[in-house]
Amino acid sequence: MNDRRSIRRYKKEEISQELLDELFTKAFRASNTGNMQAYSVIVTRDMEMKKKLAPLHFNQRMITEAPVVLTFCADFHRFSKWCEASDAEPCYDNFLSFFAGATDALLAAQTFAVAAEQAGLGLCYLGTTNYNAAEIAEVLQLPELVLPITTITVGYPDEMPAQSDRLPLNAIVHHEVYDDKQDIKALYAAKEALPENHAFVHENNKQTLAQVFTDIRYNRATNETCSEKLLAAIKAAKFFK
Amino acid sequence: MNDRRSIRRYKKEEISQELLDELFTKAFRASNTGNMQAYSVIVTRDMEMKKKLAPLHFNQRMITEAPVVLTFCADFHRFSKWCEASDAEPCYDNFLSFFAGATDALLAAQTFAVAAEQAGLGLCYLGTTNYNAAEIAEVLQLPELVLPITTITVGYPDEMPAQSDRLPLNAIVHHEVYDDKQDIKALYAAKEALPENHAFVHENNKQTLAQVFTDIRYNRATNETCSEKLLAAIKAAKFFK
């Protein structure tokens, strides 16, 4: 687990359904809300489907090049149908339930990720799922009370990139209460000093590494437009009562 | 990973900070959004702090009985401070950033969970974190742009409960598109047939297992009240532009 890295290039080799099912079995053992298992996974192997998904993930090559694309969804549709079939009135059309389903989906996704990596597979998460949730839901024909939360592309690794850096533990871990007196520049000094981050600042014609994030990668206009889109998608999925 | 179960009773033995740091190191290797690591963890060991947290988690005994309580938070405060110290204007006071931070926090939490279980520890997630997020934030002195997402109680196991059931894989996994023609009663038949679930229905004076969920455990009144509370907490943390 200390040696992991995201993998974005894959061999052409398929992943057997048997292996995938073994990994799902482990993934679905993860903790979840009240054992309702309020999530679903859509498996995409078909190239036509990958081509429909690709633009919704900004045409990142992993979508069409990975043998398997997994979309993990919050899902209270199945549970609600079970309630209706059991003389019970479902009541999961609200934000708390959405967040519980999203949590369940993410814990299952990450358990899948760890199990897959331990089995020799490589994978990459696509955060773009939150940018185009409604459009992805349409492609995957998701009914109400089902919304995509994250996407993982999976395959046998065909690259071994360098590990990305991480902040020191004391940037992240607080004891008893939040320490708001951290020396921020010291915590980010090693990150800023990395040659690849110097190059990153230079390529983007910026003065500081932080500006690459605020002005380009995660800028205000995109963040605010996509916040509205994500909230609209949650409402459209009937998760906002 | 196939043998795991949540553990709610712990030995009095402390967890060394060294072991905790090893597990955090693995956890923070998890995938995250743009390598911003938009999360923090608050470690609670102090009994006075546990006693403040306990009622916010409906006095579940694990809070005061576990040697360590971990509150995983979405955190764009640290990143925003770094931006400000780097001539960059932070723009993470919006819902998309909240959701990115929540995702990062949950992937780190689950990686911690898997690593901790593989190291012989036992743990339990507390979904109550989403019910009282603002109140927990106050106890832990979280600044703006930091919000608790989930809580894990951790310790050396002092019980070995039976594994809880899981739905069959074909309830959860869909191929290419969502299959809305599933035979719901068949998918839930094994769950409904379990002796412990029969007992659960009987103890709660209900006719069906689903009614125990809709009328008692996750009922409409609580779901809707807590949805409003959670949204208000997200807004109060300035994550809703």
Side-chain angles (χ1 to χ4, degrees), chain A residues 28 37 41 43 75 77 82 86-87 96 110-111 164 166-167 174 176 178 180 192 208 211 227, chain B residues 4 28-29 37 41 43 75 77 82 86-87 96 110-111 166-167 174 176 178 180 192 208 211 227:
Chain A
F28 303 161
Q37 292 187 266
V41 186
V43 180
D75 183 349
H77 178 76
W82 175 58
S86 308
D87 293 321
L96 185 76
Q110 183 58 7
T111 312
S164 55
R166 289 293 186 269
L167 292 172
H174 300 255
E176 304 303 339
Y178 195 97
D180 200 12
E192 290 178 351
T208 69
Q211 289 173 358
S227 292
Chain B
R4 75 162 299 281
F28 302 161
R29 268 278 140 220
Q37 293 188 265
V41 185
V43 180
D75 183 350
H77 178 75
W82 175 59
S86 309
D87 293 321
L96 185 75
Q110 183 58 7
T111 312
R166 288 293 185 270
L167 292 171
H174 300 254
E176 305 303 340
Y178 195 97
D180 201 12
E192 290 177 352
T208 69
Q211 288 173 359
S227 292

Side-chain angles (χ1 to χ4, degrees), chain B residues 135-159:
Chain B
E135 294 85 346
I136 293 167
E138 196 180 335
V139 168
L140 301 178
Q141 299 178 26
L142 306 183
E144 283 181 4
L145 298 183
V146 186
L147 202 67
I149 301 299
T150 195
T151 303
I152 303 180
T153 55
V154 203
Y156 290 94
D158 199 27
E159 64 169 357

Side-chain angles (χ1 to χ4, degrees), chain A residues 54-128:
Chain A
L56 303 175
H57 292 290
F58 302 163
N59 291 308
Q60 292 177 90
R61 59 192 299 165
M62 299 85 83
I63 288 283
T64 48
E65 291 182 9
V68 171
V69 178
L70 301 176
T71 307
F72 286 80
C73 306
D75 183 349
F76 261 106
H77 178 76
R78 180 185 61 244
F79 194 83
S80 296
K81 278 174 76 173
W82 175 58
C83 292
E84 284 164 0
S86 308
D87 293 321
E89 197 187 320
C91 48
Y92 307 103
D93 53 350
N94 51 70
F95 187 72
L96 185 76
S97 299
F98 163 72
F99 204 74
T103 299
D104 286 5
L106 288 163
L107 299 192
Q110 183 58 7
T111 312
F112 178 93
V114 173
E117 289 176 339
Q118 290 182 351
L121 294 170
L123 52 87
C124 187
Y125 274 90
L126 304 186
T128 40

